[in-house]
């Protein structure tokens, strides 16, 4: 029989890998809470229209990456490819905009039909923060600072650099777009087919192209700095001043446009050189117009998302959980007392492994394999005295302890 495999681009998270994910999620959750981001969640699938128009028909995500299907009731459904559009939908559906500012932390699986490779999957996981209802640069600074602190707390702060750019307001963006279209039209014959297709609908994306020929052309492309309105320039200066004041280093990258249609003003990415082409571990920006595109009230907002799989490849292996107490019954008569003792100790908060079967040597070997700190050996003579043998597995020493004092005595090992 052929070996049963998970679907392409998906993977099982076995315990060691899951520990990495948990470490990332728990660190991010804790730090996001310090900034006042409240955790929320939205459905894994939504009506396709929640994603299609807001993200942009000409973006890679909508044009070729969405898992879209018609369900049994005839509804057009899409598995969420990212968190932001669903969160904004939830804010509108629940009428939360009046309570702005809104600050959310989010984590969960995302789905994109991509070509699987290192750091790129079809089901992957993100952590995400969104700050809504604040039009001032202070919000951009705060979400970037939060990302920085999370990466630092994960121990990878020194291995990522922050790249920063501004797209300016809509007016700046439109003027720049026209300049880019005019420029690329002069290089039409040399552009990749993908980029020729992007030219009319999403020319900013060409700047992001990974094609070598496109990259050469891009080296001479106009810079957006010349097309920024004075207000856009002021906004960007405000963001930079704040980051400077916090001592957060960044490099301005005028080519950083990011994939989604809804960005204005600030865009940013934390990038590492250690994951090859999939070097962006965290990316985000300001998306002031998104709520209105979705039929909601005006709601300026800024946020980011980070890929958990990519972060998991960078962090150090997290330690295993607490070391267990191994309970080793010696002889058949000790089996039930061992079972009861294990339950009591678990109720008291200990991690307990029970030695199930085999001779004493085998059971102690299993205790060792489970990385137990101590073994409680229940022998018939000791049990008759209301006691057990407590064995320190690191030192190899042992002593007899009355059962009534066992929990207290065990406590001294942890
Ligand atoms: P990329 O340029 O790598 O395709 P993106 O711009 O599509 O990234 P975003 O939509 O900004 O990515 O998602 C934020 C983060 O989520 C990325 O920086 C990355 O860490 C992670 N991510 C995105 N797509 C995938 C994927 N298919 N597999 C694993 N992680 C991903
Ligand atoms: Mg992508």
């Amino acid at each position: 029989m052929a070996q049963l495999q998970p679907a392409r681009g998906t993977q099982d998270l076995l315990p060691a890998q899951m520990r990495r994910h948990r470490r990332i999620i728990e660190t991010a959750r804790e730090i996001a809470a310090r900034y006042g981001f409240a955790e929320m969640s939205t459905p894994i699938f939504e009506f396709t229209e929640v994603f299609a128009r807001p993200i942009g028909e000409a973006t890679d995500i909508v044009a070729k990456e969405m898992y879209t299907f018609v369900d049994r009731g005839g509804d057009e459904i899409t598995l969420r490819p990212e968190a932001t559009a669903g969160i904004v939908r939830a804010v509108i559906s629940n009428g939360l905009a009046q309570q702005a500012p809104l600050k959310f932390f989010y984590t969960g699986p995302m789905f994109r039909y991509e070509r699987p490779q290192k750091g790129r999957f079809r089901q992957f996981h993100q952590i995400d923060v969104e700050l809504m209802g604040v039009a001032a640069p202070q919000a951009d600074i705060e979400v970037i600072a939060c990302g920085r602190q999370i990466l630092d707390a994960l121990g990878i702060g020194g291995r990522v650099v922050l790249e920063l750019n501004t797209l300016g307001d809509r007016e700046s963006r439109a003027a720049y777009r026209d300049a880019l279209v005019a420029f690329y039209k002069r290089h039409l014959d040399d552009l990749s087919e993908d980029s020729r297709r992007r030219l009319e609908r999403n020319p900013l994306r060409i700047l992001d192209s990974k094609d070598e020929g496109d990259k050469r052309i891009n080296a001479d492309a106009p810079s957006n700095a010349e097309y920024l309105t004075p207000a856009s320039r002021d906004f960007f200066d405000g963001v930079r001043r704040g980051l400077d004041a916090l001592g957060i280093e960044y490099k301005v990258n005028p080519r950083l446009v990011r994939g989604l249609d809804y960005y204005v003003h600030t865009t940013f990415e934390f990038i590492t050189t250690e994951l090859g082409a999939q070097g962006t571990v965290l990316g985000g920006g300001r998306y002031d117009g998104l709520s209105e595109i979705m039929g909601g009230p005006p709601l300026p907002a800024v946020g980011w998302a980070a890929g958990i799989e990519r972060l998991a490849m960078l962090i150090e292996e997290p330690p295993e959980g607490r070391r267990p107490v191994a309970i080793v019954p010696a002889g058949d008569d000790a089996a039930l007392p061992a079972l009861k003792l294990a339950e009591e100790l678990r109720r008291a908060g200990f991690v307990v492994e029970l030695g199930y079967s085999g001779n004493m040597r085998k059971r102690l070997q299993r205790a060792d394999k489970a990385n137990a700190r101590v073994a409680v050996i229940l022998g018939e003579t000791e049990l008759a005295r209301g006691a057990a043998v407590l064995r320190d597995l690191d030192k190899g020493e042992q002593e007899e302890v009355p059962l009534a004092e066992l929990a207290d005595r065990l406590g001294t090992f942890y």
Side-chain angles (χ1 to χ4, degrees), residues 60-61 65 112 114 120 124 205 208 210 259-260 310:
D60 284 351
I61 292 184
E65 295 175 0
R112 297 183 193 177
E114 303 214 55
R120 194 176 290 289
F124 62 101
R205 277 295 272 161
D208 208 19
K210 313 255 184 323
L260 313 185
R310 294 188 193 175

Side-chain angles (χ1 to χ4, degrees), residues 239-283:
V239 174
R240 296 181 59 168
R241 269 198 307 278
L243 294 175
D244 291 341
L246 295 179
I248 296 174
E249 284 175 32
Y250 56 85
K251 198 178 94 197
V252 174
N253 173 3
R255 300 262 179 273
L256 184 68
V257 291
R258 302 207 21 87
L260 313 185
D261 267 4
Y262 52 59
Y263 285 113
V264 290
H265 289 296
T266 321
T267 55
F268 53 91
E269 288 186 349
F270 283 91
I271 300 173
T272 171
T273 53
E274 292 171 37
L275 299 177
Q278 274 64 250
T280 302
V281 294
L282 182 156

